[in-house]
Amino acid sequence: MTAPISPARLALFDCDGTLVDSQDNICRSVEEAFAGVGLVAPDRTAIRRIVGLSLVEAMEMLLPDAEAKLHQALADDYKAAFFRMRTSGAMSAEPLYDGILDVLDHLAADGWMLGVATGKSDRGLAHILAHHGIAAHFITLQTADRHPSKPHPSMIETAIADAGATPETTVMIGDTSYDMLMARAAGTRALGVAWGYHPADELTAAGAHAVADTVRSLTALMEK
């Protein structure tokens, strides 16, 4: 009799604020989008709060009293600003957090399937993964182009199906409360990271089972 095949273990990573530090380019793109419609942008503390959401939802949070057509216009202008920065060479560096590559290599060697669940577009995610030479590490890539905004669980559910995993064998790793709420909605483990854009106490309040204080502490928490 053939033994049943165990479900895969899947480690899903957010991108901005978890794998890479991209806050300067995000803030500059929001500021340019607001300037384009004659508005003063919120301060950067407020802008960092929306990292992780899909663009329209992010603009709704920044301007809750505005009409839907303005939210859409700002989202479109953000995309255009980001693309202009990339193609003109004006983008700030978006470095991998120190030690992230070692974590990815360690988890892969330990038998984990790896994936990404991000509010970025397909194009934006492909660019950042190619730039750092890490695209081959991931077997499933879920973006805002094909899913409702976080914290809806659609990204995680699709990634689980792609990897042949289950909610019980999946860990969502992210730096925002949206990541933790998404993980909880999908029935997976929620692992926060303290080096991103939401403070650790907010991650815990949003349902994080644990919060990694440093990149190098991630692998130990994955084994618990």
Side-chain angles (χ1 to χ4, degrees), residues 210-221:
V211 177
D213 292 328
T214 66
V215 173
R216 287 169 181 78
S217 68
L218 261 179
T219 52
L221 288 176

Side-chain angles (χ1 to χ4, degrees), residues 2-125:
T2 303
I5 299 174
S6 299
R9 293 183 299 162
L10 174 63
L12 272 176
F13 289 84
D14 170 58
C15 184
D16 298 314
T18 302
L19 293 175
V20 300
D21 186 3
S22 49
Q23 63 176 301
D24 186 59
N25 293 320
I26 292 169
C27 290
R28 288 166 59 199
S29 296
V30 170
E31 290 161 355
E32 187 171 328
F34 271 67
V37 296
L39 295 174
V40 176
D43 64 38
R44 290 196 167 193
T45 299
I47 295 173
R48 286 192 292 269
R49 300 283 313 154
I50 57 85
V51 175
L53 295 174
S54 298
L55 284 176
V56 171
E57 286 77 5
M59 299 309 172
E60 288 173 352
M61 181 170 285
L62 291 174
L63 283 179
D65 297 327
E67 295 183 358
K69 62 182 181 182
L70 179 55
H71 295 145
Q72 185 63 59
L74 286 167
D76 292 341
D77 287 350
Y78 174 99
K79 291 179 186 177
F82 207 95
F83 184 72
R84 281 194 299 273
M85 286 195 301
R86 178 181 298 147
T87 55
S88 68
M91 293 189 79
S92 302
E94 294 182 313
L96 287 174
Y97 287 102
D98 186 36
I100 281 291
L101 185 56
D102 291 338
V103 169
L104 298 179
D105 287 340
H106 177 91
L107 292 176
D110 196 36
W112 287 86
M113 300 287 190
L114 306 180
V116 179
T118 177
K120 297 179 87 68
S121 66
D122 286 333
R123 181 173 64 184
L125 178 61

Side-chain angles (χ1 to χ4, degrees), residues 90-217:
M91 293 189 79
S92 302
E94 294 182 313
L96 287 174
Y97 287 102
D98 186 36
I100 281 291
L101 185 56
D102 291 338
V103 169
L104 298 179
D105 287 340
H106 177 91
L107 292 176
D110 196 36
W112 287 86
M113 300 287 190
L114 306 180
V116 179
T118 177
K120 297 179 87 68
S121 66
D122 286 333
R123 181 173 64 184
L125 178 61
H127 174 83
I128 200 70
L129 297 183
H131 175 74
H132 290 294
I134 60 173
H137 282 75
F138 303 105
I139 59 96
T140 181
L141 302 174
Q142 306 304 323
T143 75
D145 285 346
R146 288 168 284 112
H147 297 281
S149 179
K150 297 175 183 181
H152 192 285
S154 176
M155 291 187 194
I156 293 180
E157 291 167 349
T158 302
I160 287 172
D162 284 352
T166 67
E168 294 76 18
T169 62
T170 299
V171 180
M172 178 66 213
I173 303 156
D175 68 299
T176 70
S177 56
Y178 316 124
D179 297 311
M180 303 301 98
L181 292 167
M182 179 174 66
R184 286 295 198 162
T188 70
R189 190 168 177 229
L191 179 54
V193 301
W195 54 85
Y197 306 145
H198 286 190
D201 60 338
E202 291 189 16
L203 302 180
T204 300
H209 293 94
V211 177
D213 292 328
T214 66
V215 173
R216 287 169 181 78
S217 68

